[in-house]
Amino acid sequence: MSSHTHDDTKIATARLGTDGPEVGVQGLGCMGMSFAYGPTDADEARATLERALELGVTLYDTADVYGWGENEKFIAPFVGAHRDEITLATKFALGLDPSDPAKRNIRNDRPYVRQCIEDSLRRLGVEEIDLYYMHRRDVEVPIEETVGAMAELVQEGKVKHLGLSEVTAGELRAAHAVHPIAALQSEWSLFSRDIEGNVVGAAADLGVAVVPYSPLGRGFLTGSFADAEKELTDDDFRRTMPRFTGGNAAENAALLEPVRQIARAHGATPGQIALAWVQQQSRLRDGLTVVPIPGTRRRSRVEENTAATRIELTPDELAELEPIAGQVAGDRYVDMSFSSAGRE
């Protein structure tokens, strides 16, 4: 391991939105601690939450759908122990069918918003959520109506700041006109750059922070697996994703060579280069704040990930990484209609 990995320096901070919370420039995605990515070690996951905080990670991201509420319950003791030090983010709107993991039920109506916040507050053991996201967009419900319902939660003191996930530029502007949006959470990585078309520009214009999820391509960019069907357990969600299976997986694994070369030049890991690329988007675009939320369940990974915030890629290195996304085989999801790219 390089010296990058075990630097105990706290990461820098950034503000989410114009009046939102100040958080570490990298957050932590908690989903995999109890959901979607195969077997987990609960003690190590708990230690990872604590280690992240020591390193300056203060934005912790979960959702009601992760493990059907189990993920919120899992992080609740940590939240309780550090309530004033952290920014707690959770989400509503997405339902999954346990019998069919690829199936999505999406609801954005006001009664559902109100039901979901009460359930999340109870599971998390808090009186207020710092950042509450609409997880996916239900096109049958006007976004103004959903954000209006979310704004009521702010007035009632149940929520501090609002976020949206996987919305288009137009949806983001319409929502922001109803109530300030602090953060937009969408997939953004060396492999997934569709939001750069319109969404990133709109976020920068409005002063909305972008919170990239899966900045490590769900682990694919770290080289931790190359073929989901051959290497991952049956209960691993990534087996349903077109990019990580069959011929696509082999083609995409071959795209990682420049990432590995740049990693060697920095004495870093491929994952650190992928994260450094996402982190650096803040400096490459005027007025944009970017706070990625790589997910992990291991302390060693959180040390590695936070160290990536201190890696500076050169213009030549950025140019080498530029063509990768355009060559990726396969969509992000089987059904892209639930993503911003599927509607823009």
Side-chain angles (χ1 to χ4, degrees):
M1 285 291 213
S2 67
S3 57
H4 281 302
T5 313
H6 293 295
D7 185 341
D8 269 4
T9 322
K10 283 205 170 184
I11 59 175
T13 61
R15 188 167 297 286
L16 296 182
T18 319
D19 305 306
E22 192 165 316
V23 297
V25 289
Q26 186 181 102
L28 182 65
C30 299
M31 174 177 90
M33 290 185 171
S34 63
F35 178 65
Y37 291 165
T40 58
D41 171 345
D43 291 337
E44 180 62 20
R46 275 189 279 273
T48 301
L49 292 166
E50 298 285 350
R51 182 69 179 124
L53 187 58
E54 286 169 14
L55 292 166
V57 172
T58 57
L59 176 62
Y60 291 81
D61 185 88
T62 184
D64 58 0
V65 72
Y66 300 159
W68 298 273
E70 289 307 312
N71 198 253
E72 289 180 328
K73 288 185 200 162
F74 179 81
I75 69 166
F78 169 78
V79 171
H82 301 286
R83 190 65 195 99
D84 299 337
E85 301 163 78
I86 69 165
T87 295
L88 173 63
T90 192
K91 315 180 198 76
F92 74 92
L94 184 55
L96 289 182
D97 182 341
S99 61
D100 179 5
K103 192 165 178 241
R104 302 265 177 286
N105 306 307
I106 299 175
R107 281 184 65 184
N108 288 176
D109 55 285
R110 187 173 173 276
Y112 190 67
V113 175
R114 301 199 67 87
Q115 173 197 323
C116 288
I117 189 70
E118 297 305 333
D119 291 345
S120 284
L121 290 169
R122 188 184 67 251
R123 287 189 294 256
L124 286 158
V126 296
E127 288 174 13
E128 189 174 40
I129 305 284
D130 299 315
L131 177 58
Y132 199 45
Y133 287 102
M134 182 186 87
H135 203 160
R136 289 292 184 273
R137 169 102 169 89
D138 171 6
V139 292
E140 304 297 309
V141 179
I143 197 152
E144 295 83 355
E145 185 182 314
T146 309
V147 175
M150 294 167 75
E152 288 172 15
L153 304 179
V154 176
Q155 282 145 19
E156 292 164 23
K158 290 173 180 171
V159 169
K160 278 197 179 116
H161 306 284
L162 303 187
L164 301 170
S165 179
E166 289 285 357
V167 293
T168 65
E171 289 162 353
L172 180 60
R173 290 181 194 280
H176 195 72
V178 175
H179 186 281
I181 301 299
L184 166 81
Q185 184 178 139
S186 287
E187 187 166 358
W188 196 9
S189 72
L190 278 173
F191 263 33
S192 301
R193 296 179 58 181
D194 46 73
I195 67 165
E196 291 175 36
N198 299 300
V199 179
V200 167
D205 288 349
L206 298 168
V208 176
V210 176
V211 175
Y213 72 82
S214 299
L216 293 168
R218 302 181 183 274
F220 196 81
L221 293 170
T222 68
S224 68
F225 73 101
D227 184 322
E229 286 165 310
K230 291 184 187 145
E231 298 170 63
L232 302 178
T233 53
D234 288 348
D235 58 352
D236 196 307
F237 172 63
R238 291 169 290 187
R239 292 170 64 104
T240 70
M241 305 190 122
R243 293 187 167 175
F244 307 140
T245 50
N248 288 349
E251 272 184 62
N252 293 337
L255 298 176
L256 296 176
E257 193 44 45
V259 184
R260 284 194 284 268
Q261 284 169 6
I262 293 168
R264 286 193 285 273
H266 282 268
T269 64
Q272 285 178 313
I273 299 307
L275 278 175
W277 181 87
V278 177
Q279 299 275 176
Q280 212 155 320
Q281 300 304 316
S282 286
R283 294 195 292 286
L284 297 173
R285 295 160 194 273
D286 288 342
L288 185 69
T289 300
V290 180
V291 178
I293 47 166
T296 184
R297 334 176 249 207
R298 297 213 297 280
R299 282 168 288 185
S300 58
R301 285 288 194 196
V302 104
E303 289 162 1
E304 179 183 325
N305 292 349
T306 51
T309 65
R310 292 182 281 276
I311 295 174
E312 187 84 33
L313 300 173
T314 67
D316 285 353
E317 288 168 340
L318 290 167
E320 258 186 275
L321 297 170
E322 188 59 33
I324 292 176
Q327 300 169 39
V328 172
D331 273 333
R332 297 198 273 126
Y333 294 100
V334 176
D335 181 350
M336 284 293 285
S337 67
F338 301 119
S339 72
S340 58
R343 294 193 304 279
E344 283 217 292

